[in-house]
Coordinates of all heavy atoms in Angstrom, one line a residue:
Chain A
L26 N 90.0 -43.4 69.5 CA 89.4 -43.3 70.9 C 90.5 -43.5 72.0 O 90.6 -42.7 72.9 CB 88.3 -44.3 71.1 CG 87.0 -43.8 70.6 CD1 86.0 -45.0 70.6 CD2 86.4 -42.7 71.4
G27 N 91.4 -44.5 71.7 CA 92.4 -44.7 72.7 C 93.4 -43.5 72.8 O 93.8 -43.1 73.8
Y28 N 93.8 -43.0 71.6 CA 94.7 -41.9 71.5 C 94.1 -40.7 72.3 O 94.8 -40.1 73.1 CB 94.8 -41.3 70.1 CG 96.0 -41.8 69.3 CD1 95.8 -42.6 68.2 CD2 97.3 -41.4 69.7 CE1 96.9 -43.0 67.5 CE2 98.4 -41.8 68.9 CZ 98.2 -42.6 67.9 OH 99.3 -43.0 67.1
T29 N 92.8 -40.5 72.1 CA 92.2 -39.3 72.6 C 92.0 -39.4 74.1 O 92.2 -38.5 74.9 CB 90.9 -39.0 71.8 OG1 91.0 -37.6 71.5 CG2 89.7 -39.2 72.6
M30 N 91.6 -40.6 74.6 CA 91.4 -40.9 76.0 C 92.7 -40.7 76.8 O 92.8 -40.1 77.8 CB 90.9 -42.3 76.3 CG 89.4 -42.5 75.8 SD 89.0 -44.2 75.8 CE 88.7 -44.5 77.6
I31 N 93.8 -41.3 76.2 CA 95.1 -41.2 76.9 C 95.6 -39.8 76.9 O 96.1 -39.3 77.9 CB 96.1 -42.2 76.2 CG1 95.6 -43.6 76.6 CG2 97.5 -41.9 76.7 CD1 96.3 -44.7 75.8
Y32 N 95.4 -39.1 75.7 CA 95.9 -37.7 75.7 C 95.1 -36.9 76.7 O 95.6 -36.1 77.4 CB 95.7 -37.1 74.3 CG 96.1 -35.7 74.3 CD1 97.5 -35.4 74.0 CD2 95.3 -34.6 74.5 CE1 97.9 -34.1 74.1 CE2 95.7 -33.3 74.6 CZ 97.1 -33.1 74.3 OH 97.5 -31.8 74.4
G33 N 93.8 -37.2 76.8 CA 92.9 -36.4 77.7 C 93.4 -36.5 79.1 O 93.3 -35.5 79.9
I34 N 93.9 -37.6 79.5 CA 94.2 -37.8 80.9 C 95.7 -37.5 81.3 O 96.0 -37.0 82.3 CB 93.8 -39.2 81.4 CG1 93.5 -39.1 82.9 CG2 94.8 -40.3 81.1 CD1 92.5 -40.1 83.4
I35 N 96.6 -37.9 80.4 CA 98.0 -37.5 80.8 C 98.7 -36.7 79.7 O 99.9 -36.5 79.8 CB 98.9 -38.7 81.1 CG1 98.9 -39.7 80.0 CG2 98.5 -39.4 82.4 CD1 99.9 -40.8 80.2
K36 N 97.9 -36.1 78.8 CA 98.5 -35.2 77.8 C 99.7 -35.8 77.0 O 100.6 -35.2 76.7 CB 98.9 -33.9 78.4 CG 97.8 -33.2 79.2 CD 96.8 -32.6 78.3 CE 95.6 -32.1 79.1 NZ 94.5 -33.1 79.3
L37 N 99.5 -37.2 76.8 CA 100.6 -37.8 76.0 C 100.0 -38.3 74.7 O 99.0 -38.9 74.6 CB 101.1 -39.1 76.8 CG 101.9 -40.1 76.0 CD1 103.3 -39.6 75.7 CD2 102.0 -41.4 76.8
I38 N 100.8 -38.0 73.6 CA 100.5 -38.6 72.3 C 101.2 -40.0 72.4 O 102.4 -40.1 72.3 CB 101.1 -37.8 71.1 CG1 100.7 -36.3 71.2 CG2 100.7 -38.4 69.8 CD1 99.3 -36.0 70.9
M171 N 87.0 -40.8 85.5 CA 87.8 -40.6 84.3 C 87.6 -39.2 83.7 O 88.6 -38.5 83.4 CB 87.5 -41.6 83.2 CG 88.0 -43.0 83.5 SD 87.3 -44.3 82.4 CE 88.2 -43.9 80.9
R172 N 86.4 -38.8 83.6 CA 86.1 -37.4 83.1 C 86.7 -36.4 84.0 O 87.3 -35.4 83.6 CB 84.6 -37.2 82.9 CG 84.1 -37.9 81.7 CD 82.7 -37.5 81.4 NE 81.8 -38.1 82.3 CZ 80.6 -37.6 82.8 NH1 80.3 -36.4 82.4 NH2 79.9 -38.3 83.6
A173 N 86.5 -36.6 85.3 CA 87.1 -35.6 86.3 C 88.6 -35.5 86.2 O 89.2 -34.4 86.1 CB 86.6 -35.9 87.7
A174 N 89.2 -36.7 86.2 CA 90.7 -36.7 86.2 C 91.2 -36.1 84.8 O 92.3 -35.5 84.8 CB 91.2 -38.1 86.4
S175 N 90.5 -36.3 83.7 CA 90.9 -35.7 82.5 C 90.8 -34.2 82.5 O 91.7 -33.5 82.0 CB 90.0 -36.2 81.3 OG 90.2 -37.5 81.0
F176 N 89.8 -33.7 83.2 CA 89.6 -32.3 83.2 C 90.6 -31.6 84.1 O 91.1 -30.6 83.8 CB 88.1 -32.0 83.7 CG 87.8 -30.5 83.6 CD1 87.5 -30.0 82.4 CD2 87.8 -29.7 84.7 CE1 87.2 -28.6 82.3 CE2 87.6 -28.4 84.7 CZ 87.2 -27.8 83.4
D177 N 90.8 -32.2 85.3 CA 91.7 -31.6 86.3 C 92.2 -32.7 87.3 O 91.5 -33.0 88.2 CB 90.9 -30.5 87.0 CG 91.8 -29.7 88.0 OD1 92.8 -30.2 88.4 OD2 91.3 -28.6 88.4
T178 N 93.3 -33.3 87.0 CA 93.8 -34.4 87.8 C 94.0 -34.1 89.2 O 93.6 -34.9 90.1 CB 95.2 -34.9 87.2 OG1 95.1 -35.0 85.8 CG2 95.5 -36.3 87.7
T195 N 92.3 -46.2 82.0 CA 92.2 -45.6 80.7 C 93.1 -46.3 79.7 O 92.7 -46.5 78.5 CB 92.6 -44.1 80.8 OG1 91.8 -43.5 81.8 CG2 92.4 -43.3 79.5
I238 N 91.5 -33.2 70.0 CA 92.1 -34.3 70.8 C 91.6 -34.2 72.3 O 91.5 -33.1 72.8 CB 93.6 -34.2 70.7 CG1 94.3 -35.5 71.3 CG2 94.2 -33.0 71.2 CD1 95.2 -36.2 70.4
G239 N 91.3 -35.3 72.8 CA 90.8 -35.3 74.2 C 89.3 -35.5 74.3 O 88.7 -35.7 75.3
I240 N 88.6 -35.3 73.1 CA 87.2 -35.4 73.1 C 86.7 -36.6 72.4 O 87.0 -36.9 71.3 CB 86.7 -34.1 72.3 CG1 87.2 -32.9 72.9 CG2 85.1 -34.1 72.2 CD1 87.0 -31.6 72.1
L241 N 86.0 -37.5 73.2 CA 85.6 -38.8 72.7 C 84.7 -38.8 71.4 O 85.1 -39.4 70.5 CB 84.9 -39.6 73.8 CG 85.8 -39.9 75.1 CD1 85.1 -41.0 75.9 CD2 87.2 -40.3 74.7
K294 N 95.2 -24.4 81.7 CA 95.0 -24.4 83.2 C 96.2 -23.7 83.8 O 97.3 -23.8 83.4 CB 95.0 -25.9 83.6 CG 93.7 -26.5 83.5 CD 93.8 -28.0 83.9 CE 93.1 -28.9 82.9 NZ 93.6 -30.3 83.1

Side-chain angles (χ1 to χ4, degrees):
Chain A
L26 277 168
Y28 263 115
T29 229
M30 288 168 78
I31 290 167
Y32 182 86
I34 206 152
I35 56 171
K36 306 289 172 271
L37 164 71
I38 309 289
M171 286 169 73
R172 282 188 285 148
S175 291
F176 186 79
D177 184 344
T178 314
T195 304
I238 191 127
I240 302 164
L241 299 193
K294 276 178 226 161

